[in-house]
Short mmCIF file of all heavy atoms in Angstrom, two decimals:
data_model
loop_
_atom_site.label_atom_id
_atom_site.label_comp_id
_atom_site.label_asym_id
_atom_site.label_seq_id
_atom_site.Cartn_x
_atom_site.Cartn_y
_atom_site.Cartn_z
N MET A 1 144.58 96.58 183.24
CA MET A 1 143.86 95.36 182.81
C MET A 1 144.45 94.11 183.44
O MET A 1 145.52 94.16 184.07
CB MET A 1 143.84 95.29 181.26
CG MET A 1 145.30 95.07 180.71
SD MET A 1 145.26 95.09 178.93
CE MET A 1 144.12 93.75 178.54
N LYS A 2 143.70 93.04 183.36
CA LYS A 2 144.18 91.76 183.85
C LYS A 2 144.52 90.77 182.82
O LYS A 2 143.91 90.93 181.67
CB LYS A 2 143.06 91.12 184.80
CG LYS A 2 142.62 92.07 185.96
CD LYS A 2 141.69 91.26 186.88
CE LYS A 2 140.46 90.71 186.16
NZ LYS A 2 139.29 91.41 186.22
N ARG A 3 145.33 89.84 183.17
CA ARG A 3 145.69 88.76 182.18
C ARG A 3 144.29 88.12 181.77
O ARG A 3 143.47 87.88 182.61
CB ARG A 3 146.56 87.77 182.74
CG ARG A 3 148.04 88.14 182.61
CD ARG A 3 148.93 87.04 183.04
NE ARG A 3 148.72 86.70 184.43
CZ ARG A 3 149.11 85.59 185.06
NH1 ARG A 3 149.85 84.66 184.35
NH2 ARG A 3 148.82 85.33 186.25
N GLY A 4 144.19 87.82 180.48
CA GLY A 4 142.95 87.20 180.02
C GLY A 4 141.89 88.20 179.41
O GLY A 4 141.01 87.89 178.79
N ASP A 5 142.18 89.53 179.82
CA ASP A 5 141.35 90.60 179.22
C ASP A 5 141.96 90.87 177.83
O ASP A 5 143.00 90.40 177.46
CB ASP A 5 141.52 91.94 179.99
CG ASP A 5 140.85 91.82 181.40
OD1 ASP A 5 139.98 90.90 181.53
OD2 ASP A 5 141.11 92.80 182.13
N ARG A 6 141.16 91.49 177.02
CA ARG A 6 141.55 91.84 175.62
C ARG A 6 141.53 93.38 175.55
O ARG A 6 140.57 93.97 175.84
CB ARG A 6 140.61 91.19 174.66
CG ARG A 6 140.96 91.45 173.19
CD ARG A 6 140.25 90.48 172.29
NE ARG A 6 140.92 89.13 172.37
CZ ARG A 6 141.95 88.79 171.52
NH1 ARG A 6 142.36 89.61 170.70
NH2 ARG A 6 142.45 87.65 171.63
N VAL A 7 142.65 93.93 175.00
CA VAL A 7 142.67 95.42 174.79
C VAL A 7 142.55 95.66 173.35
O VAL A 7 143.03 94.89 172.53
CB VAL A 7 143.98 95.97 175.47
CG1 VAL A 7 145.20 95.37 174.81
CG2 VAL A 7 143.93 97.50 175.23
N VAL A 8 141.79 96.74 173.03
CA VAL A 8 141.52 97.07 171.62
C VAL A 8 142.04 98.44 171.38
O VAL A 8 141.59 99.38 172.09
CB VAL A 8 139.95 96.89 171.31
CG1 VAL A 8 139.71 97.32 169.80
CG2 VAL A 8 139.44 95.60 171.62
N TRP A 9 142.87 98.52 170.34
CA TRP A 9 143.26 99.92 169.87
C TRP A 9 142.31 100.27 168.69
O TRP A 9 142.29 99.44 167.65
CB TRP A 9 144.73 99.92 169.40
CG TRP A 9 145.67 99.98 170.53
CD1 TRP A 9 146.33 101.08 171.08
CD2 TRP A 9 146.24 98.87 171.27
NE1 TRP A 9 147.18 100.80 172.10
CE2 TRP A 9 147.22 99.39 172.20
CE3 TRP A 9 146.10 97.48 171.14
CZ2 TRP A 9 147.91 98.56 173.10
CZ3 TRP A 9 146.82 96.72 172.09
CH2 TRP A 9 147.69 97.28 172.97
N ILE A 10 141.74 101.33 168.75
CA ILE A 10 140.87 101.81 167.59
C ILE A 10 141.49 103.07 166.96
O ILE A 10 141.68 104.06 167.74
CB ILE A 10 139.46 102.12 168.01
CG1 ILE A 10 138.87 100.88 168.64
CG2 ILE A 10 138.60 102.61 166.89
CD1 ILE A 10 137.53 101.13 169.42
N ASN A 11 141.75 103.05 165.70
CA ASN A 11 142.39 104.16 165.07
C ASN A 11 141.33 105.10 164.46
O ASN A 11 140.76 104.81 163.46
CB ASN A 11 143.33 103.69 163.93
CG ASN A 11 144.07 104.95 163.26
OD1 ASN A 11 143.87 106.03 163.69
ND2 ASN A 11 144.91 104.63 162.29
N LYS A 12 141.18 106.17 165.30
CA LYS A 12 140.10 107.21 164.84
C LYS A 12 140.80 108.30 164.13
O LYS A 12 140.09 109.36 163.84
CB LYS A 12 139.46 107.72 166.07
CG LYS A 12 138.67 106.67 166.80
CD LYS A 12 137.81 107.25 167.99
CE LYS A 12 136.96 106.18 168.60
NZ LYS A 12 136.28 106.61 169.83
N ASP A 13 142.01 108.18 163.72
CA ASP A 13 142.74 109.18 162.94
C ASP A 13 142.61 108.92 161.44
O ASP A 13 141.99 107.91 161.05
CB ASP A 13 144.25 109.22 163.36
CG ASP A 13 144.91 110.47 163.00
OD1 ASP A 13 144.27 111.40 162.52
OD2 ASP A 13 146.21 110.47 163.14
N ILE A 14 143.04 109.84 160.63
CA ILE A 14 143.07 109.66 159.15
C ILE A 14 144.33 109.03 158.60
O ILE A 14 144.46 108.80 157.44
CB ILE A 14 142.67 110.89 158.44
CG1 ILE A 14 143.71 112.01 158.69
CG2 ILE A 14 141.34 111.41 158.87
CD1 ILE A 14 143.57 113.23 157.76
N PHE A 15 145.23 108.84 159.57
CA PHE A 15 146.55 108.23 159.18
C PHE A 15 146.72 106.89 159.87
O PHE A 15 146.18 106.70 160.94
CB PHE A 15 147.70 109.17 159.60
CG PHE A 15 147.65 110.56 158.99
CD1 PHE A 15 147.21 111.63 159.76
CD2 PHE A 15 147.96 110.77 157.65
CE1 PHE A 15 147.11 112.94 159.19
CE2 PHE A 15 147.87 112.03 157.07
CZ PHE A 15 147.47 113.11 157.84
N PRO A 16 147.56 106.02 159.27
CA PRO A 16 147.78 104.71 159.97
C PRO A 16 148.73 104.93 161.17
O PRO A 16 149.58 105.82 161.12
CB PRO A 16 148.45 103.85 158.87
CG PRO A 16 148.94 104.83 157.84
CD PRO A 16 148.09 106.06 157.92
N HIS A 17 148.61 104.06 162.13
CA HIS A 17 149.50 104.08 163.36
C HIS A 17 149.68 102.57 163.67
O HIS A 17 149.03 101.74 163.20
CB HIS A 17 148.71 104.83 164.46
CG HIS A 17 148.55 106.19 164.22
ND1 HIS A 17 149.49 107.22 164.31
CD2 HIS A 17 147.35 106.85 163.88
CE1 HIS A 17 148.93 108.40 164.00
NE2 HIS A 17 147.66 108.21 163.71
N THR A 18 150.66 102.47 164.62
CA THR A 18 150.94 101.09 165.23
C THR A 18 150.92 101.16 166.69
O THR A 18 151.07 102.17 167.28
CB THR A 18 152.25 100.54 164.73
OG1 THR A 18 153.37 101.17 165.48
CG2 THR A 18 152.48 100.76 163.27
N ALA A 19 150.70 100.00 167.31
CA ALA A 19 150.96 99.88 168.78
C ALA A 19 152.01 98.79 168.93
O ALA A 19 151.75 97.61 168.74
CB ALA A 19 149.64 99.48 169.49
N THR A 20 153.28 99.27 169.15
CA THR A 20 154.37 98.41 169.06
C THR A 20 155.15 98.51 170.42
O THR A 20 155.67 99.52 170.82
CB THR A 20 155.35 98.80 167.98
OG1 THR A 20 154.57 98.87 166.71
CG2 THR A 20 156.45 97.83 167.79
N ALA A 21 155.18 97.33 171.12
CA ALA A 21 155.87 97.29 172.45
C ALA A 21 157.37 97.57 172.24
O ALA A 21 157.94 97.08 171.31
CB ALA A 21 155.68 95.98 173.12
N GLU A 22 157.93 98.23 173.13
CA GLU A 22 159.41 98.56 173.04
C GLU A 22 160.19 97.24 173.03
O GLU A 22 161.28 97.10 172.39
CB GLU A 22 159.83 99.46 174.24
CG GLU A 22 159.43 100.89 174.03
CD GLU A 22 159.87 101.79 175.22
OE1 GLU A 22 160.62 101.30 176.04
OE2 GLU A 22 159.29 102.91 175.19
N THR A 23 159.70 96.20 173.71
CA THR A 23 160.38 94.93 173.82
C THR A 23 159.91 94.07 172.64
O THR A 23 160.40 92.97 172.53
CB THR A 23 159.91 94.15 175.11
OG1 THR A 23 158.48 93.96 175.06
CG2 THR A 23 160.27 94.93 176.34
N ARG A 24 159.01 94.55 171.83
CA ARG A 24 158.36 93.80 170.76
C ARG A 24 157.54 92.61 171.29
O ARG A 24 157.20 91.61 170.56
CB ARG A 24 159.38 93.23 169.71
CG ARG A 24 160.11 94.32 168.93
CD ARG A 24 159.15 95.13 168.14
NE ARG A 24 159.78 96.03 167.08
CZ ARG A 24 160.22 97.32 167.35
NH1 ARG A 24 159.94 97.83 168.50
NH2 ARG A 24 160.72 97.93 166.38
N ALA A 25 157.13 92.69 172.57
CA ALA A 25 156.16 91.64 173.10
C ALA A 25 154.94 91.65 172.29
O ALA A 25 154.26 90.59 172.16
CB ALA A 25 155.91 91.96 174.58
N PHE A 26 154.52 92.83 171.79
CA PHE A 26 153.38 92.80 170.82
C PHE A 26 153.69 93.89 169.79
O PHE A 26 154.45 94.86 170.01
CB PHE A 26 152.06 93.10 171.57
CG PHE A 26 151.98 94.41 172.41
CD1 PHE A 26 151.67 95.61 171.77
CD2 PHE A 26 152.30 94.37 173.74
CE1 PHE A 26 151.60 96.77 172.48
CE2 PHE A 26 152.25 95.61 174.45
CZ PHE A 26 151.87 96.78 173.82
N ASP A 27 153.14 93.67 168.60
CA ASP A 27 153.25 94.66 167.50
C ASP A 27 152.04 94.56 166.63
O ASP A 27 151.75 93.52 165.98
CB ASP A 27 154.50 94.32 166.77
CG ASP A 27 154.80 95.35 165.59
OD1 ASP A 27 154.06 96.39 165.52
OD2 ASP A 27 155.73 95.13 164.82
N SER A 28 151.32 95.61 166.54
CA SER A 28 150.08 95.60 165.76
C SER A 28 150.34 95.65 164.30
O SER A 28 149.48 95.31 163.50
CB SER A 28 149.27 96.85 166.14
OG SER A 28 149.86 98.03 165.68
N ARG A 29 151.60 96.06 163.88
CA ARG A 29 151.85 96.48 162.55
C ARG A 29 150.87 97.60 162.20
O ARG A 29 150.27 98.15 163.17
CB ARG A 29 151.68 95.31 161.54
CG ARG A 29 152.14 94.02 162.04
CD ARG A 29 153.60 93.65 161.87
NE ARG A 29 154.08 93.65 160.51
CZ ARG A 29 154.37 92.59 159.78
NH1 ARG A 29 154.07 91.42 160.34
NH2 ARG A 29 154.82 92.69 158.59
N SER A 30 150.83 97.97 160.95
CA SER A 30 150.04 99.19 160.62
C SER A 30 148.53 99.00 160.82
O SER A 30 147.95 98.02 160.31
CB SER A 30 150.30 99.57 159.16
OG SER A 30 149.60 100.73 158.88
N ILE A 31 147.98 99.88 161.64
CA ILE A 31 146.47 99.98 161.88
C ILE A 31 145.93 101.00 160.86
O ILE A 31 146.27 102.21 161.10
CB ILE A 31 146.07 100.17 163.26
CG1 ILE A 31 146.81 99.16 164.16
CG2 ILE A 31 144.63 100.09 163.49
CD1 ILE A 31 146.62 99.55 165.71
N ALA A 32 145.16 100.69 159.88
CA ALA A 32 144.69 101.71 158.98
C ALA A 32 143.66 102.62 159.67
O ALA A 32 143.13 102.31 160.72
CB ALA A 32 144.01 100.91 157.82
N ALA A 33 143.48 103.75 159.04
CA ALA A 33 142.44 104.66 159.50
C ALA A 33 141.09 103.92 159.69
O ALA A 33 140.79 103.16 158.79
CB ALA A 33 142.32 105.85 158.56
N SER A 34 140.46 104.17 160.83
CA SER A 34 139.15 103.57 161.14
C SER A 34 139.19 102.12 161.37
O SER A 34 138.14 101.45 161.58
CB SER A 34 138.15 103.88 160.06
OG SER A 34 138.02 105.28 159.85
N ALA A 35 140.36 101.50 161.38
CA ALA A 35 140.53 100.05 161.74
C ALA A 35 140.87 99.88 163.12
O ALA A 35 141.18 100.87 163.90
CB ALA A 35 141.55 99.41 160.84
N SER A 36 140.90 98.64 163.62
CA SER A 36 141.27 98.36 165.01
C SER A 36 142.17 97.10 165.08
O SER A 36 142.31 96.36 164.11
CB SER A 36 140.01 98.22 165.85
OG SER A 36 139.28 97.13 165.49
N TRP A 37 142.75 96.96 166.24
CA TRP A 37 143.61 95.79 166.52
C TRP A 37 143.45 95.53 167.92
O TRP A 37 143.42 96.31 168.81
CB TRP A 37 145.07 96.15 166.18
CG TRP A 37 146.04 94.97 166.33
CD1 TRP A 37 146.17 93.96 165.54
CD2 TRP A 37 146.94 94.79 167.41
NE1 TRP A 37 147.11 93.08 166.03
CE2 TRP A 37 147.57 93.57 167.19
CE3 TRP A 37 147.28 95.57 168.56
CZ2 TRP A 37 148.57 93.10 167.99
CZ3 TRP A 37 148.28 95.03 169.40
CH2 TRP A 37 148.84 93.85 169.15
N SER A 38 143.32 94.11 168.23
CA SER A 38 143.25 93.77 169.61
C SER A 38 144.28 92.76 169.96
O SER A 38 144.88 92.10 169.14
CB SER A 38 141.84 93.12 169.86
OG SER A 38 141.71 91.93 169.25
N TYR A 39 144.57 92.66 171.30
CA TYR A 39 145.59 91.82 171.85
C TYR A 39 145.24 91.43 173.21
O TYR A 39 144.67 92.16 174.06
CB TYR A 39 146.89 92.80 171.90
CG TYR A 39 148.00 92.17 172.61
CD1 TYR A 39 148.69 91.07 172.08
CD2 TYR A 39 148.60 92.75 173.74
CE1 TYR A 39 149.83 90.49 172.76
CE2 TYR A 39 149.63 92.23 174.42
CZ TYR A 39 150.28 91.05 173.87
OH TYR A 39 151.34 90.55 174.50
N GLU A 40 145.57 90.17 173.44
CA GLU A 40 145.33 89.50 174.78
C GLU A 40 146.58 89.23 175.42
O GLU A 40 147.29 88.23 175.02
CB GLU A 40 144.45 88.24 174.59
CG GLU A 40 143.92 87.73 175.95
CD GLU A 40 143.06 86.55 175.68
OE1 GLU A 40 142.18 86.53 174.79
OE2 GLU A 40 143.32 85.47 176.36
N PRO A 41 147.10 90.01 176.32
CA PRO A 41 148.47 89.80 176.96
C PRO A 41 148.45 88.50 177.74
O PRO A 41 147.51 88.12 178.48
CB PRO A 41 148.65 90.91 177.95
CG PRO A 41 147.53 91.86 177.68
CD PRO A 41 146.47 91.19 176.95
N GLY A 42 149.57 87.77 177.65
CA GLY A 42 149.73 86.49 178.37
C GLY A 42 150.56 86.65 179.66
O GLY A 42 150.56 85.79 180.49
N LYS A 43 151.20 87.78 179.81
CA LYS A 43 152.04 87.99 180.94
C LYS A 43 151.76 89.30 181.65
O LYS A 43 151.44 90.23 181.01
CB LYS A 43 153.52 88.11 180.45
CG LYS A 43 154.17 86.78 180.22
CD LYS A 43 155.75 86.93 180.24
CE LYS A 43 156.28 86.57 178.86
NZ LYS A 43 157.72 86.69 178.81
N ALA A 44 151.95 89.27 182.95
CA ALA A 44 151.71 90.48 183.73
C ALA A 44 153.01 91.39 183.58
O ALA A 44 154.12 90.92 183.28
CB ALA A 44 151.55 90.19 185.20
N GLY A 45 152.84 92.68 183.73
CA GLY A 45 153.94 93.62 183.61
C GLY A 45 153.44 94.95 183.12
O GLY A 45 152.30 95.11 182.73
N THR A 46 154.45 95.84 182.92
CA THR A 46 154.07 97.17 182.28
C THR A 46 154.85 97.13 181.00
O THR A 46 156.15 96.92 181.01
CB THR A 46 154.53 98.31 183.23
OG1 THR A 46 153.68 98.28 184.39
CG2 THR A 46 154.30 99.67 182.50
N PHE A 47 154.18 97.38 179.92
CA PHE A 47 154.75 97.36 178.63
C PHE A 47 154.69 98.68 177.97
O PHE A 47 153.62 99.11 177.35
CB PHE A 47 154.07 96.28 177.76
CG PHE A 47 154.00 94.90 178.35
CD1 PHE A 47 153.02 94.50 179.23
CD2 PHE A 47 155.07 94.06 178.11
CE1 PHE A 47 153.00 93.20 179.76
CE2 PHE A 47 155.07 92.74 178.66
CZ PHE A 47 154.01 92.40 179.52
N PRO A 48 155.86 99.41 177.98
CA PRO A 48 155.80 100.69 177.22
C PRO A 48 155.69 100.34 175.67
O PRO A 48 156.24 99.40 175.27
CB PRO A 48 157.18 101.31 177.50
CG PRO A 48 157.70 100.55 178.70
CD PRO A 48 157.06 99.16 178.60
N TYR A 49 154.95 101.19 175.01
CA TYR A 49 154.77 101.00 173.56
C TYR A 49 154.72 102.33 172.81
O TYR A 49 154.60 103.33 173.41
CB TYR A 49 153.55 100.18 173.27
CG TYR A 49 152.20 100.79 173.51
CD1 TYR A 49 151.55 101.46 172.52
CD2 TYR A 49 151.65 100.72 174.76
CE1 TYR A 49 150.33 102.07 172.79
CE2 TYR A 49 150.41 101.33 175.05
CZ TYR A 49 149.84 101.99 174.00
OH TYR A 49 148.51 102.58 174.19
N GLY A 50 154.92 102.22 171.60
CA GLY A 50 154.86 103.42 170.76
C GLY A 50 154.35 103.13 169.38
O GLY A 50 153.98 102.02 169.03
N CYS A 51 154.33 104.16 168.53
CA CYS A 51 153.93 104.05 167.16
C CYS A 51 155.22 104.09 166.31
O CYS A 51 155.95 105.05 166.44
CB CYS A 51 153.02 105.16 166.78
SG CYS A 51 152.62 105.23 165.02
N THR A 52 155.43 103.07 165.44
CA THR A 52 156.73 103.10 164.73
C THR A 52 156.76 104.17 163.73
O THR A 52 157.79 104.54 163.28
CB THR A 52 156.93 101.73 164.08
OG1 THR A 52 155.84 101.46 163.19
CG2 THR A 52 157.06 100.58 165.08
N PHE A 53 155.57 104.73 163.35
CA PHE A 53 155.55 105.76 162.28
C PHE A 53 155.77 107.14 162.88
O PHE A 53 156.27 108.04 162.25
CB PHE A 53 154.28 105.79 161.54
CG PHE A 53 153.89 104.49 160.88
CD1 PHE A 53 152.51 104.06 160.90
CD2 PHE A 53 154.79 103.69 160.30
CE1 PHE A 53 152.20 102.86 160.26
CE2 PHE A 53 154.46 102.50 159.70
CZ PHE A 53 153.12 102.11 159.67
N HIS A 54 155.47 107.29 164.20
CA HIS A 54 155.36 108.58 164.79
C HIS A 54 156.08 108.50 166.19
O HIS A 54 155.42 108.15 167.14
CB HIS A 54 153.99 109.09 164.95
CG HIS A 54 153.25 109.09 163.66
ND1 HIS A 54 152.26 108.22 163.43
CD2 HIS A 54 153.43 109.87 162.59
CE1 HIS A 54 151.76 108.37 162.19
NE2 HIS A 54 152.47 109.44 161.61
N PRO A 55 157.42 108.73 166.25
CA PRO A 55 158.13 108.57 167.50
C PRO A 55 157.70 109.31 168.69
O PRO A 55 158.03 108.97 169.78
CB PRO A 55 159.60 108.99 167.08
CG PRO A 55 159.64 108.93 165.60
CD PRO A 55 158.25 109.19 165.19
N THR A 56 156.86 110.37 168.43
CA THR A 56 156.34 111.14 169.62
C THR A 56 155.13 110.46 170.27
O THR A 56 154.67 110.88 171.29
CB THR A 56 156.04 112.62 169.33
OG1 THR A 56 155.00 112.57 168.33
CG2 THR A 56 157.23 113.37 168.68
N MET A 57 154.55 109.37 169.63
CA MET A 57 153.40 108.82 170.16
C MET A 57 153.78 107.57 170.96
O MET A 57 154.45 106.63 170.52
CB MET A 57 152.46 108.34 168.99
CG MET A 57 152.07 109.45 168.06
SD MET A 57 150.95 108.83 166.77
CE MET A 57 149.45 108.53 167.59
N HIS A 58 153.42 107.66 172.22
CA HIS A 58 153.73 106.48 173.05
C HIS A 58 152.78 106.31 174.24
O HIS A 58 152.02 107.30 174.51
CB HIS A 58 155.22 106.50 173.57
CG HIS A 58 155.75 107.78 173.90
ND1 HIS A 58 155.40 108.39 175.24
CD2 HIS A 58 156.39 108.68 173.28
CE1 HIS A 58 155.93 109.57 175.28
NE2 HIS A 58 156.55 109.78 174.12
N GLY A 59 152.76 105.20 174.81
CA GLY A 59 151.94 104.88 175.96
C GLY A 59 152.49 103.77 176.71
O GLY A 59 153.59 103.27 176.43
N ALA A 60 151.69 103.18 177.61
CA ALA A 60 152.19 102.02 178.43
C ALA A 60 150.93 101.16 178.73
O ALA A 60 149.85 101.74 178.99
CB ALA A 60 152.84 102.40 179.65
N LEU A 61 151.11 99.92 178.57
CA LEU A 61 149.94 98.92 178.84
C LEU A 61 150.44 98.23 180.16
O LEU A 61 151.46 97.69 180.29
CB LEU A 61 149.90 97.95 177.71
CG LEU A 61 148.93 96.85 177.89
CD1 LEU A 61 147.53 97.38 177.87
CD2 LEU A 61 149.07 95.78 176.76
N THR A 62 149.58 98.29 181.17
CA THR A 62 149.85 97.68 182.45
C THR A 62 148.92 96.43 182.61
O THR A 62 147.73 96.67 182.55
CB THR A 62 149.70 98.61 183.62
OG1 THR A 62 150.58 99.72 183.46
CG2 THR A 62 150.01 98.01 184.94
N VAL A 63 149.46 95.33 182.82
CA VAL A 63 148.70 94.12 182.98
C VAL A 63 148.99 93.52 184.39
O VAL A 63 150.11 93.29 184.75
CB VAL A 63 149.24 93.05 181.87
CG1 VAL A 63 148.42 91.71 182.02
CG2 VAL A 63 149.11 93.67 180.50
N ARG A 64 147.96 93.23 185.06
CA ARG A 64 148.10 92.64 186.42
C ARG A 64 148.00 91.21 186.43
O ARG A 64 147.33 90.64 185.55
CB ARG A 64 147.09 93.24 187.39
CG ARG A 64 147.23 94.72 187.61
CD ARG A 64 146.15 95.28 188.48
NE ARG A 64 145.83 96.62 188.13
CZ ARG A 64 146.65 97.74 188.49
NH1 ARG A 64 147.68 97.49 189.21
NH2 ARG A 64 146.26 98.89 188.17
CU1 CU B 1 151.37 106.94 164.71
#
C-alpha cells in the first residue's frame, strides 16, 4: 500500500483479535467478532504486527 491509503482489518472469526505493530506504531486494540478497524499509515516502511491475544498470529504491513 501507499501512504495515504487506508487499510481495513475485518474480523471474520468468532473470537476477538488485535492488529498491533511490534513497535506500537499502530494498535487496533480488541476487534470484536464481525467488527473491523482501519488505519491510515503516515510513514513508509515495513511494520511487523501481531495479535496480542494470540502470539502465533502475525503479519506485516508494507507502506511505500
Ligand atoms: Cu488473535
Side-chain angles (χ1 to χ4, degrees):
M1 66 184 300
K2 299 188 305 264
R3 276 188 300 166
D5 289 347
R6 179 162 286 271
V7 59
V8 182
W9 283 265
I10 301 170
N11 184 359
K12 296 184 175 176
D13 200 7
I14 60 170
F15 301 105
H17 298 283
T18 77
T20 307
E22 288 178 8
T23 63
R24 295 297 193 270
F26 58 86
D27 183 6
S28 68
R29 323 274 299 257
S30 182
I31 305 170
S34 301
S36 65
W37 182 75
S38 70
Y39 172 66
E40 190 178 312
K43 277 199 241 180
T46 297
F47 302 90
Y49 69 93
C51 173
T52 58
F53 303 144
H54 307 108
T56 60
M57 301 180 76
H58 41 80
L61 177 67
T62 300
V63 182
R64 294 178 210 285

